[in-house]
Amino acid sequence: MATREVSAMIKQGFLSDPALSFSPSRTAAAATETLSRLYSPSSSPPQQQQQPQISESTRSTHHPTLFEMMSQEQLQETTTTNKPIKSQSRIFKLLSEFKNPNIRDSFSYLALGPGNVRLTVVGKDGFRVCMDVHKNVLAEKSRFFAEKLAIRDKENREMLHVVEISECDDVEVYVETVVLMYCDDLKRRLLGEDLDKVLALLKVSAAIMFDLGIRSCLEYLEAVPWSGDQEEKVISLLGELKLVDSATEVLQRVTSEPSTSRRADDIFLKLLSGVLQAKDDKCRREMKTLISRLIREDASNYENRLDVSKDTLYSLCHRCLGSLILCLSEATCIDDSKGDRGALMAEIAREADNMQWLVDILIDKRMCDEFVKLWADQKELAILHCKIPTMYRHEISRITAQLCIAIGRGHILVPKDTRFSLLSTWLEALYEDFGWMRRASRSVDRKLVEDGLSQTILTLPLLQQQAILLNWFDRFLNKGGDCPNIQKAFEIWWRRAFIRQYSADQDSSHLQITVCDYQK
């Protein structure tokens, strides 16, 4: 056939009346109505629909289908359609394989003879593909087609029925879904396909009630890995198609049984305990970073999010406090000449580091107010703390620094009595350990600690500020750089105490309030 004639057929199409077509972009009810309007030549449709406008050389008893006429030369003619050339090439290859299957393709339609339904798929851009298919295959594989074709079952079965699916988002997907109806091994056919492609096939299969296609696509989705973006697409599409019940196995990787949800806190406890007790320091640090990031991850869009409970975190805090008291008690009784002192001191640093990690989580979760009081009440621990060398104990003072920074930023809200008790118990230890804290750890920000401590002191009543800052003044003059520099707090206290003296009994008589009565 001449190239000019083939191009003319592609441009003219086979059906011109949209009332006889199915548009997947319409609502489900409209789609059902339009796809059901199948007809045969014996049903006497309008003359212009019964006779497609094609050249005389193409008129015969059996009309040649589009895949019998398409060639790579026509696919290169961009004037006939706006469809990308790559997609057209894939469709051409698909139709070629459908017409000339090999053993690997496992198509089972070869013995069925010529098709008795002409199926035309039209894209939104006007690109159309026509193929002859078999009514019994459509009816057997698709419950939708079975219902609609049954309406015409009493008519002459030997005549050619015509179906048009119009306004398709992706012609290739619709054509391939029809081809899959003829395939004996759909699982093998889908091997190596892109996940997005399988999701598109699933959507079309669900629209035409192609149950075997739906099941095969779900089996594929259950077996292949998903990326983060793909996971959202899978879950969204299954919900959109209302296939959640059919896709139970697919969704098992992202859903849990109610019993698992109830045990979520036990799982969190096990994970956090595992990190705190880990033997390998490098792996422990890596897991701390990972779990901290996951716990802090923004989940505002997830109403049913399961999170670590306050009780779990505080039970771990009490465990770490007990370990610290035990280690410090042993450390004060060990002879310096014994070789196991170094191991014990390493254990103290480890437990202090664990406590810092838990405090960070509590602050981030806005659950740290009770811990401030708990830490302020550790009188025994503070006494033991001052009895061991600074090089081993300075990590403990970092906990006090954490709390002061959070209070100074307004991230922890506790009563003034609790704040004063915190400083009364631990401020001297923080002064003593500050030099070691700065030198031994690069993660300690001197200015951050000094600002947090200053702001915490300035939240106290003026007389308490005075007592703390006068004590600091003497210490700073003697210790110098090894003492936190909180001169800004000292300046503010000075102005409050001696310059801007505020009186609670200030006369407010300058404020005038006038009340007027108006007649109704």
Side-chain angles (χ1 to χ4, degrees):
M1 180 177 292
T3 298
R4 186 178 305 167
E5 295 178 21
V6 176
S7 300
M9 291 190 67
I10 294 176
K11 294 175 182 177
Q12 294 171 3
F14 296 94
L15 286 174
S16 59
D17 189 353
L20 299 175
S21 65
F22 163 53
S23 172
S25 62
R26 302 172 190 167
T27 62
T32 302
E33 177 64 22
T34 53
L35 185 56
S36 65
R37 299 174 68 174
L38 308 174
Y39 73 92
S40 65
S42 61
S43 62
S44 301
Q47 184 67 24
Q48 63 180 11
Q49 298 168 356
Q50 184 174 356
Q51 297 295 332
Q53 299 177 2
I54 54 179
S55 61
E56 288 295 328
S57 61
T58 63
R59 300 181 185 273
S60 61
T61 303
H62 174 66
H63 294 283
T65 61
L66 184 60
F67 64 75
E68 292 173 330
M69 302 182 294
M70 291 177 69
S71 67
Q72 286 299 129
E73 181 179 356
Q74 276 75 54
L75 290 175
Q76 302 300 325
E77 293 181 12
T78 57
T79 58
T80 63
T81 180
N82 294 326
K83 192 71 175 178
I85 297 301
K86 288 185 179 180
S87 179
Q88 295 182 19
S89 300
R90 289 194 298 267
I91 294 173
F92 173 77
K93 181 180 179 182
L94 183 65
L95 292 175
S96 298
E97 292 175 353
F98 180 64
K99 179 185 176 184
N100 303 300
N102 53 39
I103 297 177
R104 180 182 63 84
D105 294 322
S106 301
F107 289 125
S108 59
Y109 72 98
L110 295 177
L112 297 178
N116 51 9
V117 175
R118 172 158 299 162
L119 177 65
T120 303
V121 182
V122 185
K124 290 183 177 180
D125 56 2
F127 178 76
R128 65 172 58 219
V129 173
C130 180
M131 54 194 302
D132 283 353
V133 293
H134 302 82
K135 184 200 297 186
N136 58 335
V137 174
L138 296 181
E140 177 185 347
K141 298 297 178 68
S142 166
R143 287 183 287 116
F144 186 89
F145 280 119
E147 177 184 348
K148 303 309 175 184
L149 290 171
I151 299 175
R152 306 292 180 180
D153 200 40
K154 295 181 181 180
E155 299 179 4
N156 191 340
R157 300 183 182 182
E158 295 182 358
M159 301 302 292
L160 181 67
H161 295 281
V162 180
V163 179
E164 181 177 290
I165 305 176
S166 62
E167 298 183 26
C168 297
D169 293 325
D170 193 332
V171 173
E172 179 186 351
V173 174
Y174 277 83
V175 172
E176 185 159 1
T177 304
V178 175
V179 171
L180 289 177
M181 293 184 182
Y182 287 84
C183 188
D184 293 328
D185 190 350
L186 270 68
K187 181 178 180 180
R188 183 178 180 184
R189 178 81 182 183
L190 293 176
L191 279 177
E193 286 287 2
D194 180 73
L195 187 137
D196 289 338
K197 177 67 170 293
V198 175
L199 290 177
L201 292 171
L202 175 60
K203 187 173 183 178
V204 175
S205 297
I208 63 175
M209 302 180 190
F210 176 24
D211 293 334
L212 182 59
I214 294 173
R215 188 162 60 252
S216 298
C217 290
L218 291 177
E219 289 176 355
Y220 170 94
L221 294 175
E222 192 280 328
V224 300
W226 310 334
S227 67
D229 292 340
Q230 289 174 338
E231 180 174 313
E232 294 295 330
K233 290 180 181 179
V234 171
I235 296 173
S236 175
L237 182 62
L238 293 180
E240 175 187 337
L241 300 179
K242 296 180 171 53
L243 293 175
V244 174
D245 293 337
S246 305
T248 302
E249 293 188 3
V250 177
L251 295 175
Q252 280 181 352
R253 71 174 68 177
V254 295
T255 58
S256 59
E257 297 296 331
S259 58
T260 303
S261 301
R262 289 193 295 268
R263 292 188 295 106
D265 218 42
D266 294 335
I267 296 174
F268 287 130
L269 179 60
K270 181 178 180 180
L271 292 173
L272 295 173
S273 299
V275 173
L276 297 177
Q277 299 168 5
K279 303 299 182 183
D280 189 298
D281 286 339
K282 181 177 180 295
C283 294
R284 183 169 65 95
R285 288 192 299 270
E286 290 180 0
M287 287 299 103
K288 278 185 177 181
T289 302
L290 174 62
I291 291 180
S292 294
R293 176 170 56 82
L294 293 174
I295 289 177
R296 290 175 179 144
E297 200 170 72
D298 182 17
S300 56
N301 296 327
Y302 300 92
E303 297 179 358
N304 299 324
R305 170 175 177 163
L306 299 173
D307 206 349
V308 59
S309 72
K310 182 178 180 179
D311 290 341
T312 295
L313 292 173
Y314 274 93
S315 68
L316 294 171
C317 288
H318 282 284
R319 186 187 302 177
C320 286
L321 281 173
S323 297
L324 274 175
I325 292 174
L326 181 61
C327 289
L328 266 65
S329 297
E330 293 180 7
T332 58
C333 301
I334 288 182
D335 189 350
D336 291 342
S337 61
K338 293 185 178 180
D340 55 353
R341 183 180 180 87
L344 183 58
M345 296 307 172
E347 185 65 20
I348 293 173
R350 172 195 175 93
E351 291 297 338
D353 181 66
N354 286 338
M355 183 65 78
Q356 293 167 31
W357 182 53
L358 293 173
V359 170
D360 270 337
I361 296 174
L362 288 172
I363 293 172
D364 186 71
K365 294 292 180 186
R366 302 180 182 180
M367 301 176 180
C368 203
D369 50 337
E370 292 182 18
F371 183 82
V372 177
K373 187 176 187 311
L374 178 64
W375 189 245
D377 292 340
Q378 299 303 309
K379 311 295 184 183
E380 179 186 359
L381 183 60
I383 293 172
L384 293 171
H385 174 274
C386 68
K387 294 181 179 180
I388 63 175
T390 306
M391 62 182 297
Y392 299 122
R393 74 187 190 197
H394 68 271
E395 289 288 345
I396 298 176
S397 290
R398 289 185 61 182
I399 300 170
T400 305
Q402 277 180 287
L403 297 177
C404 289
I405 292 170
I407 292 172
R409 289 176 166 178
H411 295 167
I412 302 176
L413 303 179
V414 290
K416 61 179 180 297
D417 292 341
T418 303
R419 300 194 298 272
F420 184 69
S421 178
L422 171 68
L423 296 179
S424 298
T425 303
W426 290 106
L427 187 55
E428 287 295 323
L430 180 59
Y431 287 161
E432 293 289 341
D433 297 344
F434 188 72
W436 264 96
M437 286 171 54
R438 289 191 304 108
R439 291 189 290 269
S441 178
R442 294 181 180 178
S443 62
V444 174
D445 186 327
R446 173 172 184 162
K447 187 176 185 303
L448 199 61
V449 175
E450 291 171 344
D451 288 346
L453 181 57
S454 296
Q455 294 297 333
T456 302
I457 294 172
L458 292 172
T459 63
L460 299 174
L462 193 61
L463 289 178
Q464 292 178 350
Q465 295 177 39
Q466 176 179 309
I468 292 173
L469 289 170
L470 290 179
N471 176 273
W472 165 82
F473 185 79
D474 292 336
R475 178 180 289 272
F476 185 74
L477 291 176
N478 294 307
K479 295 289 186 178
D482 283 344
C483 182
N485 188 342
I486 52 176
Q487 291 185 41
K488 289 184 179 179
F490 186 84
E491 290 179 21
I492 294 173
W493 163 75
W494 180 283
R495 293 190 182 98
R496 287 174 177 175
F498 306 120
I499 300 176
R500 297 194 303 260
Q501 298 184 50
Y502 172 81
S503 174
D505 298 326
Q506 285 182 355
D507 183 13
S508 59
S509 59
H510 64 279
L511 180 63
Q512 298 181 0
I513 300 176
T514 304
V515 179
C516 300
D517 294 330
Y518 294 92
Q519 292 182 354
K520 295 183 178 179

